[in-house]
């Protein structure tokens, strides 16, 4: 049975651990809030880009572009498919990373010729451990979701796509949503459906004149739109990672507090037992001394 000193040392040890988990909770909260603010500040620009793409199709609905499915509606494109898999650089985030990996493996089972692009050290270590070839690993992008990093990722992927190295690009990330029910999302990023930008029942705006032509404008704005989509996915995933870490650290804090409460009760019980034993021994000694004096008086 542990003595009082051992229990007290363990209580102090758990309290020190609780300080660390509480600090990690606060850090994750601050990182998530800052990332959301950065994303909100860029949204108006990308909404404007999407509006310009919509105007191009309203003006020239039959325009052909490598960024979109062909007009004949053929969606079965032979060749390799690419997957941009966004994981975290670190663990301690519950099932966040495992859910993304699980969805990636499920999606890749549907196609034989796959090319893997990974964001985050967790995903890189996982696929390397399984002997799966990784085309490119984007280092430090998971813990620092900036537009600069998003543009670098987009530029690399678009170069491979336009050169014909793969025919479709899927992105697997964690959608933050309303912040309560986040879930893993898998989206085909390239090529796009025209319906992504214009619907038949939408009211058409006035026609615009594009210089030098609609195709050139489309080729210039699509990379920006794709960079914005990737940036949004990076921030969503980062926010979900921090939210998962906050939940994990909050659970760790609660478990630590329960353990501390249990140890304090045990400590108090042992201390009270020791005090009672000492009082009993003192009382017995005093009684014995009193009896001895009485016998001496006789």
């Amino acid at each position: 049975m542990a003595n009082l000193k051992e229990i007290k040392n363990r209580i102090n040890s758990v309290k020190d651990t609780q300080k660390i988990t509480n600090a990690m909770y606060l850090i994750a909260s601050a990182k998530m809030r800052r990332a959301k603010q950065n994303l909100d500040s860029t949204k108006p620009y990308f909404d404007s880009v999407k509006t310009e793409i919509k105007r191009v199709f309203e003006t020239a609905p039959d325009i052909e572009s490598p960024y979109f499915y062909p007009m004949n509606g053929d969606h079965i494109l032979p060749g390799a498919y690419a997957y941009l898999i966004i994981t975290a650089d670190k663990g301690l985030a519950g099932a966040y990373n495992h859910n993304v990996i699980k969805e990636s493996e499920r999606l890749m089972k549907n196609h034989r010729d796959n090319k893997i692009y990974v964001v985050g050290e967790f995903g890189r270590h996982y696929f390397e451990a399984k002997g799966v070839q990784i085309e490119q690993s984007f280092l430090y992008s998971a813990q620092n979701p900036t537009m600069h990093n998003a543009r670098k990722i987009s530029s690399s992927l678009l170069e491979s796509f336009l050169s014909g190295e793969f025919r479709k690009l899927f992105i697997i990330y964690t959608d933050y949503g309303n912040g309560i029910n986040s879930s893993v999302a898998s989206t085909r990023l390239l090529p796009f459906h025209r319906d992504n930008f214009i619907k038949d029942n939408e009211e058409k705006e006035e026609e615009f004149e594009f210089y030098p032509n609609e195709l050139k404008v489309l080729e210039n704005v699509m990379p920006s739109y794709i960079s914005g989509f990737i940036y949004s996915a990076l921030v969503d995933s980062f926010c979900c990672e921090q939210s998962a870490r906050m939940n994990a650290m909050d659970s760790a804090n609660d478990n630590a507090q329960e353990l501390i409460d249990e140890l304090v009760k045990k400590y108090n019980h042992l201390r009270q037992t020791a005090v009672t034993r000492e009082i009993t021994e003192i009382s017995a000694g005093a009684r014995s001394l009193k009896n001895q004096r009485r016998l001496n008086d006789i």
Side-chain angles (χ1 to χ4, degrees), residues 197-214:
F197 298 95
I198 184 169
K199 308 290 184 183
D200 292 335
N201 58 355
E202 280 188 343
E203 227 179 273
K204 292 187 178 181
E205 299 180 9
E206 58 179 323
E207 291 189 3
F208 287 80
E209 183 177 347
F210 296 92
Y211 180 83
N213 55 57
E214 292 85 354

Side-chain angles (χ1 to χ4, degrees), residues 5-18:
K5 185 177 180 180
E6 290 174 346
I7 294 176
K8 191 171 184 179
N9 288 339
R10 193 177 179 194
I11 290 174
N12 292 333
S13 176
V14 175
K15 285 183 177 179
D16 290 340
T17 303
Q18 193 178 37

Side-chain angles (χ1 to χ4, degrees), residues 161-200:
F161 174 73
L162 295 175
S163 64
E165 292 183 25
F166 57 82
R167 302 301 304 278
K168 290 186 180 182
L169 171 63
F170 295 87
I171 181 169
I172 300 100
Y173 65 103
T174 311
D175 185 12
Y176 186 70
N178 56 10
I180 300 175
N181 298 317
S182 58
S183 59
V184 177
S186 54
T187 303
R188 186 196 66 259
L189 186 55
L190 287 169
F192 289 98
H193 280 294
R194 296 163 193 268
D195 289 345
N196 292 126
F197 298 95
I198 184 169
K199 308 290 184 183
D200 292 335

Side-chain angles (χ1 to χ4, degrees), residues 39-49:
L39 178 62
D40 291 340
S41 65
T42 60
K43 274 186 175 180
Y45 169 74
F46 294 107
D47 289 341
S48 299
V49 171

Side-chain angles (χ1 to χ4, degrees), residues 143-285:
Q143 64 183 351
N144 187 25
T146 62
M147 265 308 303
H148 176 68
N149 286 334
R151 287 193 179 100
K152 288 199 299 184
I153 296 171
S154 175
S155 176
S156 178
L157 292 173
L158 282 176
E159 183 179 351
S160 299
F161 174 73
L162 295 175
S163 64
E165 292 183 25
F166 57 82
R167 302 301 304 278
K168 290 186 180 182
L169 171 63
F170 295 87
I171 181 169
I172 300 100
Y173 65 103
T174 311
D175 185 12
Y176 186 70
N178 56 10
I180 300 175
N181 298 317
S182 58
S183 59
V184 177
S186 54
T187 303
R188 186 196 66 259
L189 186 55
L190 287 169
F192 289 98
H193 280 294
R194 296 163 193 268
D195 289 345
N196 292 126
F197 298 95
I198 184 169
K199 308 290 184 183
D200 292 335
N201 58 355
E202 280 188 343
E203 227 179 273
K204 292 187 178 181
E205 299 180 9
E206 58 179 323
E207 291 189 3
F208 287 80
E209 183 177 347
F210 296 92
Y211 180 83
N213 55 57
E214 292 85 354
L215 181 58
K216 288 293 184 182
V217 172
L218 195 61
E219 289 177 348
N220 276 284
V221 298
M222 285 308 299
S224 293
Y225 181 78
I226 293 168
S227 296
F229 193 102
I230 292 175
Y231 175 58
S232 176
L234 287 174
V235 174
D236 270 345
S237 295
F238 182 77
C239 289
C240 290
E241 176 195 348
Q242 301 309 318
S243 178
R245 184 164 291 115
M246 287 168 60
N247 291 334
M249 294 303 102
D250 190 45
S251 297
N253 282 334
D254 291 341
N255 293 336
Q257 190 58 50
E258 288 180 8
L259 182 57
I260 289 172
D261 293 341
E262 184 179 341
L263 289 171
V264 167
K265 287 180 182 179
K266 190 174 182 180
Y267 177 85
N268 290 337
H269 177 72
L270 288 176
R271 185 169 176 272
Q272 185 62 43
T273 300
V275 170
T276 302
R277 184 172 61 250
E278 289 176 1
I279 292 174
T280 302
E281 291 174 353
I282 292 172
S283 299

Side-chain angles (χ1 to χ4, degrees), residues 277-297:
R277 184 172 61 250
E278 289 176 1
I279 292 174
T280 302
E281 291 174 353
I282 292 172
S283 299
R287 191 179 302 111
S288 176
L289 183 61
K290 183 178 181 182
N291 292 334
Q292 186 64 36
R293 286 176 177 174
R294 185 181 300 169
L295 289 174
N296 292 336
D297 292 340

Side-chain angles (χ1 to χ4, degrees), residues 123-137:
R124 183 176 69 84
H125 289 308
Y126 177 85
F127 287 111
E128 284 181 350
K130 296 194 70 174
V132 178
Q133 181 181 354
I134 298 175
E135 296 297 322
Q136 189 173 355
S137 179

